[in-house]
Amino acid sequence: QWVQIAKVHSNGEAEIIRGMLEAQEIETLLAQEGAAKALGLSIGSLGEIQIHVKADDEDLAREIVQNFFDAE
């Protein structure tokens, strides 16, 4: 089962977080609204990129993501 752990508004930020999670062997799924992805939108709720991980990895993944946002 996949759970959403964060939302970001840029592909770059989403890819950095995915890389950090996958470095810890946490399988990661990025999801974006189909129309936004097709049109390249990155503003507002259509531009949101949702980051999902398996439920078993949720706690560690949230900790990693929180550390990322704290460092910004």
Side-chain angles (χ1 to χ4, degrees):
Q1 177 181 345
W2 294 90
V3 293
Q4 180 181 311
I5 59 162
K7 291 181 191 176
V8 296
H9 289 92
S10 85
N11 287 328
E13 196 171 39
E15 291 296 338
I16 289 169
I17 292 171
R18 179 183 8 209
M20 293 170 60
L21 294 170
E22 289 183 349
Q24 298 298 316
E25 299 184 2
I26 298 174
E27 194 174 351
T28 306
L29 173 69
L30 302 181
Q32 186 176 22
E33 197 64 45
K37 192 171 188 176
L39 298 173
L41 296 176
S42 61
I43 299 173
S45 61
L46 276 181
E48 286 181 346
I49 300 166
Q50 301 170 359
I51 301 170
H52 300 262
V53 299
K54 298 273 179 100
D56 291 345
D57 295 321
E58 181 179 6
D59 292 338
L60 177 57
R62 285 188 184 279
E63 182 179 332
I64 291 167
V65 170
Q66 187 59 52
N67 289 339
F68 171 78
F69 286 122
D70 288 347
E72 283 191 318

